[in-house]
Amino acid sequence: MAKAAVLVGEGLVEAREVPIFEPEAGGILVSVIVGGVCGTDLHMINRLANEFPLPIILGHEGVGRIEKLGPGMDRDHAGETVKVGDLVYWSPMVACNQCYTCTILESSPCTHAAHFAEADKPSWCSHADYAWLPRGMSFFKLPDGVSTDAIIALGCALPTAVGSMDIVGGVKFGESVVIQGAGPVGLAAVLVANVSGAREIIVIDNNLKRLERAKQLGATATLSLDELTAEQRKQATLDICGAAGPDLVVEAAGYLPAFPEGVSLGGHAGRYVVIGLWGEAGDATIQPRDLVLKNMQVRGSMAPRPKHYYRALHLAARMADKVPLADLITHRFSIDQAANAYKAVESGEAVKVVIDPTIS
Ligand SMILES: [Zn+2]
Ligand SMILES: [Zn+2]
């Protein structure tokens, strides 16, 4: 038997004994080294996400070591040879490659994506001693010598930022970027803008500690939500970017009023990608003529694809020694203490919280 953090009811998480399963053909069994906690885990705990049967194991961000290869398994999903003992990072969704979204639209999320298995069944979830990756679940071998903390520090946030910025044409050399929110997705967007050669990277948040982290990852300016009015933030953005405004605005705030502000901040011929509002039902008022007069593009984005996990993995590995990625982890809990890990995320004090099954 192994241990796992199990969601048993709304707001109720318990550390439980769960069975260990043999890998299936084309799958692998992984011992989890570290599992990231993400805002989505809180949505699930508070039953705000889609309905699914309980109990389930939590966690969709993981780095682990291959314990067993299923029959016929000898490569990762980028075609690299793997063996028992290799470290891997996985994309927590299996696309069916047999639905309209997968095949015709070549988009995500897959209409038939397998999400969560009940806790006593094989599960790929990462807040556990073992993750059972089914056939078709993309996983990638870590480059040699890379810190597992540096990879998990931005967890699913880095693939999310990579995929979302990709969708709006990426960040071109010399462009200016405004990022709303300095949580993990916002910080990941800072890193992507930085390595893409952005001229200015302006980050807006109310948490000064997070804004400080944003500067460490490459933000050139930060604007406080508390200390400046919306008009002052707009003026500061124009002062920094020039009268045409920013080329790209990234919403990673998960806060409805960010949307009208993002439209207002958007530049001429600019792009605005909305990522964080997936869990925020409700209305927000904009002046549609703002979009027309600025020739501005607005695009929503969710569910990064395996290629974004692969690129994020290699980006984090390459930048791990250049920016303090692993240091983004502020809280580390054992599986037994998992309930406290989710509370730490909810409190807003943490930058990144992880579950470390090696802590007993
Ligand atoms: Zn996540
Ligand atoms: Zn599909």
Side-chain angles (χ1 to χ4, degrees):
M1 294 293 269
K3 208 177 271 179
V6 177
L7 178 63
V8 295
E10 183 176 327
L12 202 57
V13 178
E14 288 176 2
R16 280 197 181 177
E17 297 278 308
V18 293
I20 305 170
F21 294 91
E22 289 295 314
E24 66 176 346
I28 58 172
L29 179 71
V30 167
S31 58
V32 178
I33 291 176
V34 63
V37 181
C38 154
T40 304
D41 295 311
L42 297 186
H43 280 280
M44 292 175 61
I45 291 168
N46 297 323
R47 305 294 271 159
L48 299 171
N50 297 339
E51 285 302 306
F52 41 81
L54 294 181
I56 57 158
I57 301 174
L58 289 161
H60 55 272
E61 302 177 347
V63 172
R65 178 172 283 114
I66 299 178
E67 287 292 321
K68 287 184 180 172
L69 294 161
M73 203 50 183
D74 59 359
R75 284 169 294 147
D76 73 3
H77 286 243
E80 204 171 323
T81 305
V82 290
K83 58 183 187 314
V84 168
D86 283 345
L87 298 177
V88 296
Y89 168 66
W90 62 95
S91 162
M93 206 178 270
V94 179
C96 75
N97 292 315
Q98 206 181 349
C99 73
Y100 193 81
T101 306
C102 282
T103 309
I104 310 304
L105 302 178
E106 293 185 324
S107 184
S108 62
C110 164
T111 319
H112 305 294
H115 287 279
F116 302 97
E118 285 168 68
D120 57 352
K121 301 203 175 110
S123 166
W124 48 260
C125 290
S126 63
H127 297 172
D129 287 325
Y130 292 93
W132 184 93
L133 275 51
R135 176 176 56 249
M137 177 164 280
S138 296
F139 67 89
F140 302 105
K141 186 175 160 178
L142 266 61
D144 286 341
V146 68
S147 139
T148 53
D149 276 358
I151 302 303
I152 211 66
L154 288 171
C156 70
L158 191 53
T160 299
V162 168
S164 301
M165 289 157 93
D166 198 26
I167 268 173
V168 286
V171 177
K172 294 178 194 72
F173 175 79
E175 287 194 329
S176 48
V177 181
V178 172
I179 294 160
Q180 301 177 286
V185 175
L187 293 174
V190 171
L191 185 64
V192 175
N194 179 5
V195 298
S196 302
R199 177 168 62 96
E200 302 292 349
I201 305 170
I202 303 166
V203 183
I204 304 174
D205 201 291
N206 59 4
N207 182 320
L208 297 179
K209 282 186 192 157
R210 288 179 175 213
L211 289 176
E212 203 46 52
R213 301 293 186 141
K215 281 188 180 160
Q216 292 169 356
L217 297 184
T220 57
T222 57
L223 302 175
S224 163
L225 267 180
D226 291 337
E227 292 167 12
L228 302 173
T229 64
E231 291 74 35
Q232 288 169 324
R233 292 193 291 272
K234 167 114 183 171
Q235 190 55 51
T237 302
L238 293 174
D239 289 346
I240 294 167
C241 300
D247 299 286
L248 175 65
V249 180
V250 177
E251 183 279 313
Y255 172 63
L256 270 179
F259 181 70
E261 178 163 7
V263 170
S264 161
L265 291 175
H268 285 275
R271 293 104 70 204
Y272 183 27
V273 62
V274 180
I275 314 171
L277 291 176
W278 70 272
E280 293 293 303
D283 297 325
T285 305
I286 62 161
Q287 290 203 34
R289 75 193 290 263
D290 260 4
L291 303 177
V292 182
L293 295 178
K294 292 196 281 195
N295 265 323
M296 192 175 145
Q297 175 194 347
V298 181
R299 178 76 199 252
S301 172
M302 73 173 290
R305 305 178 71 193
K307 65 179 178 181
H308 302 124
Y309 277 79
Y310 177 81
R311 290 184 185 147
L313 168 63
H314 286 274
L315 172 59
R318 184 161 66 80
M319 296 304 288
D321 296 332
K322 300 181 181 70
V323 292
L325 273 185
D327 293 349
L328 294 174
I329 298 174
T330 50
H331 295 66
R332 186 180 292 268
F333 295 91
S334 66
I335 293 173
D336 282 329
Q337 294 293 314
N340 292 336
Y342 309 122
K343 282 192 195 120
V345 175
E346 208 148 31
S347 76
E349 286 168 26
V351 180
K352 184 64 183 182
V353 179
V354 297
I355 305 282
D356 183 341
T358 66
I359 303 174
S360 53

mmCIF file of all heavy atoms in Angstrom, residues 94-103 107 109-113, ligand 2:
data_model
loop_
_atom_site.group_PDB
_atom_site.id
_atom_site.type_symbol
_atom_site.label_atom_id
_atom_site.label_comp_id
_atom_site.label_asym_id
_atom_site.label_seq_id
_atom_site.Cartn_x
_atom_site.Cartn_y
_atom_site.Cartn_z
ATOM 1 N N VAL A 94 -5.138 12.868 -20.891
ATOM 2 C CA VAL A 94 -4.969 11.959 -22.021
ATOM 3 C C VAL A 94 -5.959 12.354 -23.102
ATOM 4 O O VAL A 94 -7.176 12.265 -22.907
ATOM 5 C CB VAL A 94 -5.223 10.491 -21.617
ATOM 6 C CG1 VAL A 94 -5.066 9.583 -22.824
ATOM 7 C CG2 VAL A 94 -4.272 10.074 -20.511
ATOM 8 N N ALA A 95 -5.440 12.824 -24.233
ATOM 9 C CA ALA A 95 -6.318 13.169 -25.349
ATOM 10 C C ALA A 95 -6.692 11.883 -26.087
ATOM 11 O O ALA A 95 -5.865 10.970 -26.217
ATOM 12 C CB ALA A 95 -5.617 14.135 -26.287
ATOM 13 N N CYS A 96 -7.944 11.825 -26.561
ATOM 14 C CA CYS A 96 -8.405 10.588 -27.214
ATOM 15 C C CYS A 96 -7.903 10.490 -28.659
ATOM 16 O O CYS A 96 -7.837 9.405 -29.223
ATOM 17 C CB CYS A 96 -9.925 10.503 -27.167
ATOM 18 S SG CYS A 96 -10.763 11.613 -28.325
ATOM 19 N N ASN A 97 -7.561 11.656 -29.250
ATOM 20 C CA ASN A 97 -7.169 11.713 -30.665
ATOM 21 C C ASN A 97 -8.216 11.103 -31.582
ATOM 22 O O ASN A 97 -7.916 10.604 -32.654
ATOM 23 C CB ASN A 97 -5.806 11.039 -30.875
ATOM 24 C CG ASN A 97 -4.703 11.848 -30.222
ATOM 25 O OD1 ASN A 97 -4.665 13.069 -30.360
ATOM 26 N ND2 ASN A 97 -3.832 11.193 -29.474
ATOM 27 N N GLN A 98 -9.456 11.135 -31.136
ATOM 28 C CA GLN A 98 -10.550 10.553 -31.911
ATOM 29 C C GLN A 98 -11.823 11.367 -31.702
ATOM 30 O O GLN A 98 -12.918 10.827 -31.727
ATOM 31 C CB GLN A 98 -10.749 9.095 -31.467
ATOM 32 C CG GLN A 98 -11.355 8.218 -32.532
ATOM 33 C CD GLN A 98 -11.541 6.795 -32.027
ATOM 34 O OE1 GLN A 98 -11.043 6.411 -30.975
ATOM 35 N NE2 GLN A 98 -12.275 6.009 -32.800
ATOM 36 N N CYS A 99 -11.665 12.674 -31.446
ATOM 37 C CA CYS A 99 -12.847 13.530 -31.323
ATOM 38 C C CYS A 99 -12.638 14.766 -32.199
ATOM 39 O O CYS A 99 -11.543 15.003 -32.713
ATOM 40 C CB CYS A 99 -13.101 13.926 -29.864
ATOM 41 S SG CYS A 99 -11.949 15.140 -29.194
ATOM 42 N N TYR A 100 -13.689 15.566 -32.349
ATOM 43 C CA TYR A 100 -13.636 16.732 -33.239
ATOM 44 C C TYR A 100 -12.551 17.714 -32.773
ATOM 45 O O TYR A 100 -11.786 18.232 -33.583
ATOM 46 C CB TYR A 100 -15.018 17.403 -33.249
ATOM 47 C CG TYR A 100 -15.181 18.408 -34.354
ATOM 48 C CD1 TYR A 100 -15.493 18.003 -35.644
ATOM 49 C CD2 TYR A 100 -15.006 19.775 -34.107
ATOM 50 C CE1 TYR A 100 -15.626 18.923 -36.669
ATOM 51 C CE2 TYR A 100 -15.147 20.700 -35.129
ATOM 52 C CZ TYR A 100 -15.455 20.278 -36.411
ATOM 53 O OH TYR A 100 -15.582 21.186 -37.419
ATOM 54 N N THR A 101 -12.482 17.944 -31.438
ATOM 55 C CA THR A 101 -11.499 18.902 -30.919
ATOM 56 C C THR A 101 -10.079 18.417 -31.186
ATOM 57 O O THR A 101 -9.222 19.178 -31.648
ATOM 58 C CB THR A 101 -11.698 19.117 -29.403
ATOM 59 O OG1 THR A 101 -13.058 19.480 -29.176
ATOM 60 C CG2 THR A 101 -10.795 20.208 -28.869
ATOM 61 N N CYS A 102 -9.827 17.139 -30.884
ATOM 62 C CA CYS A 102 -8.474 16.586 -31.073
ATOM 63 C C CYS A 102 -8.084 16.567 -32.549
ATOM 64 O O CYS A 102 -6.997 17.011 -32.916
ATOM 65 C CB CYS A 102 -8.404 15.146 -30.557
ATOM 66 S SG CYS A 102 -8.269 15.007 -28.773
ATOM 67 N N THR A 103 -8.967 16.023 -33.378
ATOM 68 C CA THR A 103 -8.557 15.683 -34.740
ATOM 69 C C THR A 103 -8.791 16.814 -35.728
ATOM 70 O O THR A 103 -7.907 17.145 -36.516
ATOM 71 C CB THR A 103 -9.329 14.427 -35.207
ATOM 72 O OG1 THR A 103 -9.183 13.430 -34.208
ATOM 73 C CG2 THR A 103 -8.783 13.898 -36.526
ATOM 74 N N SER A 107 -7.054 21.075 -31.177
ATOM 75 C CA SER A 107 -7.063 21.975 -30.030
ATOM 76 C C SER A 107 -7.254 21.172 -28.747
ATOM 77 O O SER A 107 -7.164 19.944 -28.748
ATOM 78 C CB SER A 107 -8.187 23.010 -30.216
ATOM 79 O OG SER A 107 -8.164 23.956 -29.183
ATOM 80 N N PRO A 109 -9.398 21.540 -24.541
ATOM 81 C CA PRO A 109 -9.250 20.176 -24.048
ATOM 82 C C PRO A 109 -10.068 19.183 -24.864
ATOM 83 O O PRO A 109 -11.121 19.514 -25.379
ATOM 84 C CB PRO A 109 -9.803 20.270 -22.619
ATOM 85 C CG PRO A 109 -10.791 21.392 -22.672
ATOM 86 C CD PRO A 109 -10.300 22.354 -23.715
ATOM 87 N N CYS A 110 -9.545 17.968 -24.930
ATOM 88 C CA CYS A 110 -10.223 16.871 -25.611
ATOM 89 C C CYS A 110 -11.601 16.654 -24.997
ATOM 90 O O CYS A 110 -11.764 16.686 -23.783
ATOM 91 C CB CYS A 110 -9.381 15.608 -25.440
ATOM 92 S SG CYS A 110 -10.251 14.105 -25.816
ATOM 93 N N THR A 111 -12.591 16.436 -25.854
ATOM 94 C CA THR A 111 -13.967 16.240 -25.395
ATOM 95 C C THR A 111 -14.085 15.010 -24.487
ATOM 96 O O THR A 111 -14.934 14.944 -23.610
ATOM 97 C CB THR A 111 -14.888 16.037 -26.623
ATOM 98 O OG1 THR A 111 -14.475 16.961 -27.635
ATOM 99 C CG2 THR A 111 -16.334 16.273 -26.286
ATOM 100 N N HIS A 112 -13.241 14.017 -24.710
ATOM 101 C CA HIS A 112 -13.332 12.767 -23.955
ATOM 102 C C HIS A 112 -12.164 12.593 -22.991
ATOM 103 O O HIS A 112 -11.861 11.477 -22.589
ATOM 104 C CB HIS A 112 -13.377 11.572 -24.907
ATOM 105 C CG HIS A 112 -14.471 11.660 -25.909
ATOM 106 N ND1 HIS A 112 -15.802 11.604 -25.557
ATOM 107 C CD2 HIS A 112 -14.451 11.831 -27.257
ATOM 108 C CE1 HIS A 112 -16.543 11.731 -26.646
ATOM 109 N NE2 HIS A 112 -15.743 11.881 -27.681
ATOM 110 N N ALA A 113 -11.480 13.700 -22.663
ATOM 111 C CA ALA A 113 -10.275 13.575 -21.835
ATOM 112 C C ALA A 113 -10.610 12.856 -20.532
ATOM 113 O O ALA A 113 -11.604 13.172 -19.865
ATOM 114 C CB ALA A 113 -9.703 14.947 -21.543
HETATM 115 ZN ZN ZN B 2 -10.280 13.945 -28.091
#
